[in-house]
Amino acid sequence: MRYVSTRGTAPVLNFEEAMLTGLARDGGLYVPEMVPQMPAEEIAALAGLRYEDAALRIMRPYLGDSFSDADLTGIIARAYQGFGHAARAPLVQLGPNHFLLELFHGPTLAFKDFAMQLIGQLFQTALARSGQRITIVGATSGDTGSAAIEAFRGLANVDVFILFPHGRVSEVQRRQMTTPTESNVHALALDGDFDDCQARLKDMFNDFAFRDAVGLAGVNSINWARVLAQVVYYFTSAVSLGAPHRRISFTVPTGNFGDIFAGSIARRMGLPIERLVVATNHNDILHRALASGAYTPAGVTPSMSPSMDIQVSSNFERALFDAYGRDGVAVAQLMQELKSGAGFTISQGALEALREVFASGRASEQETSATIEAIHDATGQVLCPHSAVGVKVAGDHLGPTPMISLATAHPAKFPDAVQAATGQRPALPPRMADLFERQERVTRVPNDLHALKALIHERTGR
Ligand SMILES: Cc1ncc(COP(=O)(O)O)c(C=O)c1O
Ligand SMILES: N[C@@H](CCOP(=O)(O)O)C(=O)O
């Protein structure tokens, strides 16, 4: 399996190289040259398998000879052994034809653990073979950061720097990032929003001298391996509701477009997905873009679902690459327009291609809160605000096809919003019960590339 850049001019790589490279050297994102097909009988045969066994079958074709079957089996087993639910991604029914996929049973209580635990193991195996030392820099609006820290803390050959927007993540999210004691973990509170964090991260990747000096690696969904791991639960959940003999739709709370893009990969592999519904909070650039064709950033307004407070949605580039017939030059032109500040207009043909796969909707703050309350009253299920955005938008798209809404984080990560809606404060699991007593360790940093690079040089000694 070979991986190509969405901007068309970076070297073509194998899986392991693409994983360790992160952002392509032309500024694009790596995608598989061809999406492997999974025939209906192979999809049907996933029924009843353990999550780990299904994951092996679904991901195997993407890895080529980068990892042996034995390596991969062990990697997957170790990745999911710490999850707090035997099913890993259990499905519960919310109402007629509406199901909730609980993706928050991993160690940091968000869907990010599905991919991050896996790539933590993949990286460790690859680095043990090469003897390389790397510097991971990640940008987070709250959940990627803690998941990355959990996956890489304490490793001798890895330093982890996480940029998060100062004052714009929940207190639980912040403490998850600032309380680990391992000296290879560096939590950096940046004066700016998530888009600034992600832009500085991409600036670092595009500075080849810096990138090569510190051995820069990325574990945001820039990294194809992150997306790949998330393909698995689309299959397992759809199969448990009768796929491939039945079509299924999904609604996905969306920010950086990685999770829903994984759903589109499952669809292209042959999973009969009717619709993938993009659900946004009031930072609704993706909903506006799919409705009008105009991708125009309007500034981020903080919301009760902070992890989705994003305007420059990184993986949308991957969807555009496909919608433009894999024309890297066209994608590079659009991204240049975006960088210059004005946004871009999606061509009519590309917009139609996107709308064949994706529908969209938005939830206001009031609707999100009302959804947390209504679902709690009707079913006893407590939703986090991100999951509630999804459930609200899914409600607007229900029809004869079963709908699966992705529950992307545990409600205890956002106790204030949940308490305001339900009157009840969700408790953290016992293993995290002392989170608020732990000592925090964080460095406040300016939104300045030069200062960030200096800090990373100094802390890594590279
Ligand atoms: C809880 C939660 N829900 C939804 C999202 C949006 O996912 P994506 O960025 O893959 O669109 C995020 C952040 O990524 C998140 O942390
Ligand atoms: N919502 C994310 C933002 C980063 O997304 P990623 O999937 O590209 O890592 C977060 O919680 O940090």
Side-chain angles (χ1 to χ4, degrees), residues 369 371-377 381-383 415-426:
S369 195
T371 303
I372 298 174
E373 183 183 8
I375 294 293
H376 180 246
D377 290 351
Q381 180 85 31
V382 184
L383 298 174
D416 297 339
V418 174
Q419 186 170 21
T422 65
Q424 288 176 22
R425 200 163 181 84

Side-chain angles (χ1 to χ4, degrees), residues 205-264:
F205 269 106
N206 289 325
D207 179 335
F208 295 157
F210 174 77
R211 177 179 182 156
D212 296 338
V214 301
L216 189 62
V219 295
N220 276 95
S221 54
I222 285 170
N223 196 317
W224 166 256
R226 279 274 314 280
V227 175
L228 173 61
Q230 293 170 194
V231 173
V232 175
Y233 48 68
Y234 287 91
F235 276 95
T236 57
S237 58
V239 166
S240 74
L241 290 183
H245 313 296
R246 199 182 185 199
R247 296 181 79 72
I248 307 288
S249 287
F250 289 87
T251 301
V252 186
T254 297
N256 231 4
F257 211 81
D259 207 6
I260 197 158
F261 187 74
S264 73

